[in-house]
Amino acid sequence: MNKLELISALKTKADISKSEAAKVVQIFFDSMADAMSDGERVEIRGLCSFFVKEYKSYTGRNPKTGEKVTIKPKKLPFFKAGKELKERVDQ
């Protein structure tokens, strides 16, 4: 399912216009992104949680040349499926 399909499903099930459904979806995504950029954990009970992992700087290698390269510290988003989602997918 992509964003347009999600908007279409929301439009149909909530009986609202496509523009209203698109606005709701965009507000939801923006709120999640804002929270994660502030370092907050986003948890949707029974479905999933999103969180940010911080990585320290380390020395890596360029695979083509074998040259040592310093990798800068970074933050990456992660997704963890909830118990109910895991069970539903497994059925």
Side-chain angles (χ1 to χ4, degrees), residues 4-70:
L4 289 175
E5 292 169 336
L6 180 60
I7 290 169
S8 180
L10 181 60
K11 173 189 171 289
T12 304
K13 292 185 179 186
D15 195 27
I16 57 177
S17 71
K18 186 175 181 178
S19 63
E20 289 174 322
K23 191 181 287 187
V24 169
V25 169
Q26 193 59 50
I27 289 169
F28 179 73
F29 288 162
D30 288 344
S31 298
M32 285 180 54
D34 290 344
M36 289 181 65
S37 67
D38 291 340
E40 295 178 35
R41 177 184 173 97
V42 176
E43 186 173 332
I44 303 168
R45 293 270 178 196
L47 183 66
C48 63
S49 63
F50 298 90
F51 56 96
V52 177
K53 279 189 181 180
E54 293 187 37
Y55 292 92
K56 296 179 183 177
S57 178
Y58 62 94
T59 303
R61 291 196 179 269
N62 181 329
K64 287 186 179 180
T65 64
E67 177 185 351
K68 289 186 179 183
V69 179
T70 301

